[in-house]
Amino acid sequence: MLYGIILASGLGTRFSDDLPKQFAKVAGKTVLEHTIEVFERNKHIDRTIIVITPQYRHILEDILLRNHYGKIYKVLNGGDTRKESSSIAISSIDEENAYVMIHDCARPFLSDDVIKNCVEALKTYDAVDVAIASADTLIEVNDEKIIKNIPERKFMRRGQTPQCFKLSLIKKAHELSQGDENFTDDCGLVVKHNLASVYVVEGENKNLKVTMPEDIFMADKIFQINSMKAPTVNDFSAMKDKVVVVFGGHSGIGECVINLAKEYKAKTYAFSLENGCDVSDYENVSEKLKQVYQTEGKIDYVINTAGILNIGKLFDRDIAHIQKEIAVNYMGSINVAKASIPYLLKTKGCILLFASSSYTRGRALYSTYSSTKAAIVNLTQALAEELYHDGIRINVINPERTATPMRYKSFGKEPDGSLLAPEKVAEACLNTLLSDYTGQVIDVRRKDY
Ligand code: CTP
Ligand code: MG
């Protein structure tokens, strides 16, 4: 039995926000929820124990009520120090032959690979740490900020968590260390009393600990990079009888989404200029959704692939032309999202919008197109938070250059194999619709790297 222990009982004094950092929101959820989800998804962890700051216990209880976690075993009030909090969790387990994996809640990027390697190492060692090599030279200083010692860098590591132990070993380490609070982690106790060899598993740079206020921005970026690939649900049979509405659904990616959803017996509706729907017109979009609802009695998924791409220097372009591009690309996404909300509230459904790879940096000659795409990503992040408690998810698909009629009309013939197949984008869309992702940028590429 492997118990996962999430230490979330700190006050986050260095983070200096109204609430401790475990309740800071990033990518649509609190840091605490992200960390709980890592444990929920991981197949090696059997039960999760959360140690929480007593005065904020009610926030955790709200989180537990809102979500459907299956592994939460205990919620314990923590102590004044990290050591005390971990001791509280360890001593709450009676099972003789159990193992524990103690993890800082403030590290929401723990990967399944690291957990797997820890579990593997536990077969040989009773104590396992996770650490990364230091790219920087580490120096030891005295109180006057004068260097005392420079240890040889190749032997230096920066400790992370999780730290894993045979329960009986870490219990003994805590017993022997009573009264000594000078520890920042659990391996330190084992090493101090020389109780066992502590094996070090290779950690990951991205497994950062949210500590200072600026770390939350870094965490946000890591979430973006982390979601490079679409999730792989891959069992599209859950699409059966789902009502799927695709704006821009008569050609290109939109058409492929319709076809793939149909293949899995979803009820699909495509709207575009071809059947009199202009996404830049809110009433028009609203009317179409109403018609679908009247026919089907529900709407599960709404996707907006409609967009236009115009080239030209801003100075040279006609203002009406620019306004139309913004109306279709940006207001179109706002219109589709806003008009869908009343229906998706009932089904706890999902919205997909579309970005382009130029969203991260404006591109000359495409200033309006690339800036509308940046705005759509920003919009998605904001709406993911606004809609989180309503159970509506929203994500943005960011495909590489894709072989669509719009692309052909804008760029002409391009080398064979240089473009992404729209079918691949459609698969990423279905995977995302069926996942629990929200507020994410899902990159779709020809090759995964
Ligand atoms: N922790 C805990 N109980 C404590 C202190 C810390 O459970 N009494 C947890 C924190 O919630 C965090 C992890 O241990 O997930 C690592 O500690 P740290 O990064 O130092 O967090 P805080 O103590 O909350 O932050 P600070 O030191 O800035 O106050
Ligand atoms: Mg601390």
Side-chain angles (χ1 to χ4, degrees), residues 51 53 73 79 150 185 212-213 253 263 269 272 277 286 297 300 304:
V51 190
T53 325
Y73 179 59
I150 304 182
D185 72 352
M212 311 305 263
I253 294 169
E263 213 177 289
Y269 290 83
S272 66
C277 179
S286 216
D300 296 286
N304 181 29

Side-chain angles (χ1 to χ4, degrees), residues 9-11 54-55 77-86 88 181:
S9 188
L11 289 171
Q55 65 265 46
N77 290 341
D80 294 338
T81 61
R82 185 190 184 282
K83 177 181 161 245
E84 195 185 358
S85 295
S86 101
I88 288 170
E181 293 306 313

Side-chain angles (χ1 to χ4, degrees), residues 7-15 21-22 79-82 85 104-106 209:
L7 295 180
S9 188
L11 289 171
T13 41
R14 284 168 291 176
F15 190 69
K21 58 197 181 183
Q22 51 270 37
D80 294 338
T81 61
R82 185 190 184 282
S85 295
D104 291 337
C105 173
K209 187 173 73 164

Side-chain angles (χ1 to χ4, degrees), residues 309-326:
L309 186 153
N310 291 321
I311 187 170
K313 284 186 173 179
L314 191 75
F315 181 67
D316 299 331
R317 285 180 58 195
D318 174 51
I319 192 67
H321 200 233
I322 292 169
Q323 281 164 343
K324 185 65 194 167
E325 192 178 12
I326 294 171

Side-chain angles (χ1 to χ4, degrees), residues 316-368:
D316 299 331
R317 285 180 58 195
D318 174 51
I319 192 67
H321 200 233
I322 292 169
Q323 281 164 343
K324 185 65 194 167
E325 192 178 12
I326 294 171
V328 172
N329 291 357
Y330 184 46
M331 282 311 297
S333 291
I334 289 188
N335 292 339
V336 168
K338 182 170 164 56
S340 304
I341 292 169
Y343 305 106
L344 299 181
L345 272 176
K346 298 182 184 161
T347 50
K348 308 244 177 277
C350 181
I351 301 168
L352 294 182
L353 303 178
F354 271 78
S356 109
S357 51
S358 65
Y359 88 88
T360 50
R361 189 174 166 82
R363 209 162 278 172
L365 299 180
Y366 300 95
S367 60
T368 48

Side-chain angles (χ1 to χ4, degrees), residues 17-69:
D17 200 1
D18 293 345
L19 286 173
K21 58 197 181 183
Q22 51 270 37
F23 304 114
K25 277 235 184 129
V26 55
K29 292 178 197 168
T30 61
V31 169
L32 176 57
E33 283 164 294
H34 286 295
T35 306
I36 294 174
E37 283 173 18
V38 171
F39 280 42
E40 284 286 314
R41 281 196 300 266
N42 187 274
K43 62 174 195 254
H44 299 289
I45 298 168
D46 300 297
R47 289 174 168 173
T48 302
I49 297 176
I50 305 174
V51 190
I52 193 77
T53 325
Q55 65 265 46
Y56 299 115
R57 195 184 168 102
H58 63 282
I59 306 184
L60 172 58
E61 286 174 354
D62 279 348
I63 289 173
L64 297 182
L65 279 173
R66 258 199 333 262
N67 291 283
H68 299 280
Y69 301 134

